[in-house]
């Protein structure tokens, strides 16, 4: 059904279609609309889920862990400091191999207090064992959330998935949304190591030096296997519903001499910049990085690369720029832009390309006097 929706509404509609058995909810700007909309679906009888309004984000993830290990499909949503508050349980969810799906509406971390878009919140959880996908449109927020359940629940993966969307610039904007009847796209949830309530047993969580590394490797092995599962699920989704996705969304990259790499809504803004640059005779393209964990192999050989990071690792650099440098050996022009919702237009992105200095780092809007 074709309609108009915000990014938050799209996530809620996808959750409604996925029919999780348990939804744990705690509000935080700018994701609150997601759990509010889901609450309306549950109250109206349009979604038969156990809706648990908890007292904190830590409890939200704990509730999801308890339900998931009991063999129930689960969902929650958070943002920024809420994600930090549940950090301990984020590790436990991955370590227990529970395919929880969570929407994270990307927002800056304080201080100072800021509710606008930034990717530092999600990147702070990058080593927890969660798969992370970043979306750039309302439609993609819906589609990625649906696919997240299928990817997470595949027995070759059994890891939680975080669906990231930019605060306000996607969570609260309206675009067209085509919802689908998913049919048997999502099979009934089956967790092979679910507890058996008819035959209760006690488990000790302590793992000593002889075993702990085996659990770590098992997570990494499944993370590697998830690449193939993601491809399979995205291919099936395209065949059933006609919308195609991949690890990146490439725009006019075929003959590009310089490629702009960005994530989320900045990746879509970059496409307009590319058209302006092409009109000037600059053979530019853009590559919107969708999957951050697992990190994909990127086809950037022989090209200059401009990376826009809406994040920063203090004392190190832009997280995406350094990830690309590490994976490819390319020395990108690293642009730090969009932190805390800083406005970055397509004209600004075009200037990044025109004035690029490969191997250097530039903070947009910052001068010697800050």
């Amino acid at each position: 059904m074709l309609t108009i929706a915000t990014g938050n509404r799209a996530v809620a509609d996808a959750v409604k279609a996925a029919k999780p058995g348990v939804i744990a909810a705690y509000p935080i700007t700018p994701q609150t609309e997601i759990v509010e909309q889901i609450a309306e679906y549950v109250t109206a009888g349009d979604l038969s889920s156990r809706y648990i309004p908890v007292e904190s984000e830590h409890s939200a993830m704990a509730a999801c862990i308890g339900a998931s290990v009991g063999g129930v499909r689960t969902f929650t949503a958070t943002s920024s400091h809420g994600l930090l508050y549940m950090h301990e349980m984020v590790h436990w969810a991955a370590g227990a191999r529970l395919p929880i799906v969570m929407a994270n509406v990307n927002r800056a971390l304080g201080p100072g207090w800021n509710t606008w878009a930034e990717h530092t919140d999600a990147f702070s959880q990058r080593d927890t064992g969660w798969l992370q996908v970043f979306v750039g449109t309302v439609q993609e927020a819906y589609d990625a959330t649906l696919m997240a359940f299928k990817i997470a629940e595949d027995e070759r993966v059994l890891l939680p998935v975080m669906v990231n969307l930019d605060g306000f610039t996607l969570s609260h904007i309206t675009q067209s949304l085509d919802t689908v009847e998913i049919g048997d796209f999502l099979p009934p949830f089956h967790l092979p190591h679910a507890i058996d309530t008819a035959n209760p047993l006690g488990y000790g969580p302590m793992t000593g030096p002889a075993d702990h590394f085996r659990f770590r490797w098992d997570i990494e092995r499944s993370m590697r296997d998830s690449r193939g599962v993601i491809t399979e699920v995205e291919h099936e989704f395209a065949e059933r519903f006609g919308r195609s996705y991949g690890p990146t969304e490439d725009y006019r990259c075929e003959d590009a001499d310089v490629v702009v790499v960005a994530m989320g809504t900045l990746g879509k803004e970059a496409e307009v910049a590319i058209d302006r640059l092409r009109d000037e005779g600059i053979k530019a393209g853009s590559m919107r990085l969708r999957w951050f964990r697992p990190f994909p192999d990127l086809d950037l050989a022989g090209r200059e690369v401009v990376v826009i990071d809406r994040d920063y690792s203090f004392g190190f650099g832009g997280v995406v720029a350094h990830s690309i440098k590490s994976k490819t050996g390319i020395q990108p022009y690293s642009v730090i832009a969009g932190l805390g919702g800083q406005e970055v237009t397509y004209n600004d992105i075009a200037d990044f390309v025109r004035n690029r200095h490969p191997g250097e780092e530039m903070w947009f809007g910052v001068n010697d006097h800050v």
Side-chain angles (χ1 to χ4, degrees):
M1 182 178 72
L2 192 61
T3 185
I4 299 292
T6 64
N8 280 346
R9 175 64 180 265
V11 172
D13 283 2
V15 172
K16 177 186 172 188
K19 298 181 174 63
V22 166
I23 297 158
Y26 190 81
I28 182 171
T29 304
Q31 79 78 15
T32 302
E33 183 187 9
I34 295 176
V35 293
E36 286 181 340
Q37 185 61 51
I38 293 173
E40 290 187 17
Y41 288 143
V42 173
T43 302
D46 296 327
L47 176 59
S48 180
S49 299
R50 176 74 181 273
Y51 188 93
I52 307 176
V54 294
E55 74 279 11
S56 73
E57 289 88 351
H58 188 281
S59 297
M61 186 51 61
C64 285
I65 289 172
S68 186
V69 80
V72 177
R73 179 174 290 156
T74 58
F75 173 84
T76 190
T78 192
S79 177
S80 185
H81 288 265
L83 182 59
L84 300 191
Y85 195 20
M86 67 170 62
H87 172 71
E88 177 190 13
M89 305 312 290
V90 168
H91 276 279
W92 278 100
R97 311 304 304 270
L98 301 175
I100 298 163
V101 173
M102 175 168 63
N104 177 50
V105 182
N106 300 116
R107 170 188 142 181
L109 302 171
W113 207 241
N114 180 298
T115 61
W116 288 270
E118 191 176 311
H119 295 157
T120 307
D121 59 350
F123 288 175
S124 74
Q125 311 298 309
R126 68 188 178 205
D127 299 327
T128 58
W130 283 61
L131 279 68
Q132 291 193 1
V133 61
F134 287 72
V135 303
T137 67
V138 167
Q139 185 66 62
E140 190 182 1
Y142 176 87
D143 295 342
T145 303
L146 270 181
M147 286 187 278
F149 285 101
K150 193 175 181 75
I151 293 166
E153 294 170 8
D154 189 292
E155 293 190 13
R156 292 167 290 177
V157 180
L158 290 178
L159 288 171
V161 177
M162 186 184 302
V163 180
N164 292 277
L165 58 157
D166 286 342
F168 294 111
T169 54
L170 183 53
S171 65
H172 285 67
I173 66 161
T174 54
Q175 294 176 340
S176 61
L177 171 66
D178 187 11
T179 60
V180 298
E181 296 294 332
I182 66 169
D184 61 356
F185 176 71
L186 276 180
F189 178 48
H190 170 70
L191 184 71
H193 55 290
I195 59 174
D196 181 1
T197 55
N199 183 30
L201 298 172
Y203 295 92
M206 179 66 73
T207 56
D211 295 307
H212 185 75
F213 66 94
R214 302 181 198 278
F215 286 96
R216 300 292 97 181
W217 163 244
D218 200 50
I219 293 174
E220 171 57 17
R221 180 169 54 194
S222 294
M223 186 68 77
R224 295 181 186 186
D225 289 346
S226 72
R227 296 170 186 268
V229 174
I230 291 168
T231 299
E232 289 176 13
V233 170
E234 290 178 339
H235 181 71
E236 181 185 351
F237 191 89
E239 285 192 335
R240 286 183 178 238
F241 308 118
R243 292 188 288 273
S244 299
Y245 297 97
T248 63
E249 183 182 60
D250 300 346
Y251 183 74
R252 304 186 76 169
C253 283
E254 295 80 4
D255 62 342
D257 296 324
V258 55
V259 174
V260 177
V261 179
M263 301 179 74
T265 52
L266 281 180
K268 299 302 291 184
E269 188 80 9
E271 294 178 2
V272 184
I274 297 309
D275 289 341
R276 297 294 188 274
L277 292 165
R278 287 275 177 170
D279 290 343
E280 299 172 12
I282 299 173
K283 294 170 68 175
S286 69
M287 181 178 287
R288 184 168 62 84
L289 186 61
R290 296 186 65 248
W291 285 95
F292 185 68
R293 288 293 183 274
F295 198 89
D297 297 323
L298 303 178
D299 181 15
L300 293 169
R303 299 167 176 177
E304 291 188 49
V305 178
V306 176
V307 179
I308 304 174
D309 265 288
R310 189 170 236 170
D311 61 85
Y312 200 73
S313 177
F314 297 112
F316 187 66
V319 174
V320 180
H322 279 268
S323 297
I324 290 173
K325 180 179 176 181
S326 174
K327 294 284 285 187
T328 68
I330 291 172
Q331 298 287 332
Y333 180 45
S334 173
V335 178
I336 311 303
L339 302 185
Q342 179 191 30
E343 183 174 13
V344 182
T345 69
Y346 58 81
N347 285 324
D348 298 324
I349 296 172
D351 280 342
F352 300 158
V353 174
R354 297 186 190 104
N355 302 316
R356 65 188 181 277
H357 297 280
E360 296 185 9
E361 177 183 290
M362 188 273 287
W363 282 64
F364 177 52
V366 172
N367 55 38
D368 292 340
H369 305 288
V370 185

